[in-house]
Amino acid sequence: MLLKSNKYDSLYVMATSPDYVDTIQQEITTLYGTTLGLNTPKAIMAIREQAASGNNAFILMVGIIALVVRSCWNCHHAVQFG
């Protein structure tokens, strides 16, 4: 079935148990190479965690910058109105 190039853009495989997912993924990679894009629930969760981690880091940096700016603003006004 997968030898018909340009005929299929995706193939869904369902495992009877979550315990078999890694084995099935390894067998597909062994048969067809690493150029296939394989999506598993574990891979999707890893991507979501990475995205959430990046968002958290961004929000933390915005908070730090806001604190620094506010601190500098307070120092400037304290000196000016002294």
Side-chain angles (χ1 to χ4, degrees):
M1 180 169 85
L2 294 178
L3 297 176
K4 296 182 183 261
S5 62
N6 298 323
K7 299 283 182 188
Y8 301 100
D9 62 355
S10 63
L11 174 70
Y12 293 92
V13 177
M14 297 180 80
T16 56
S17 168
D19 299 331
Y20 300 136
V21 172
D22 290 334
T23 303
I24 292 170
Q25 181 180 0
Q26 183 60 41
E27 288 180 11
I28 291 172
T29 303
T30 300
L31 278 172
Y32 299 105
T34 57
T35 58
L36 291 175
L38 298 174
N39 294 325
T40 63
K42 188 177 3 177
I44 292 169
M45 291 303 294
I47 291 169
R48 289 185 69 205
E49 288 175 12
Q50 289 174 354
S53 174
N55 287 341
N56 290 342
F58 174 76
I59 291 170
L60 179 64
M61 287 306 298
V62 168
I64 290 172
I65 291 169
L67 288 173
V68 168
V69 168
R70 179 65 180 178
S71 175
C72 290
W73 188 83
N74 285 342
C75 290
H76 172 73
H77 284 286
V79 170
Q80 186 178 18
F81 297 114

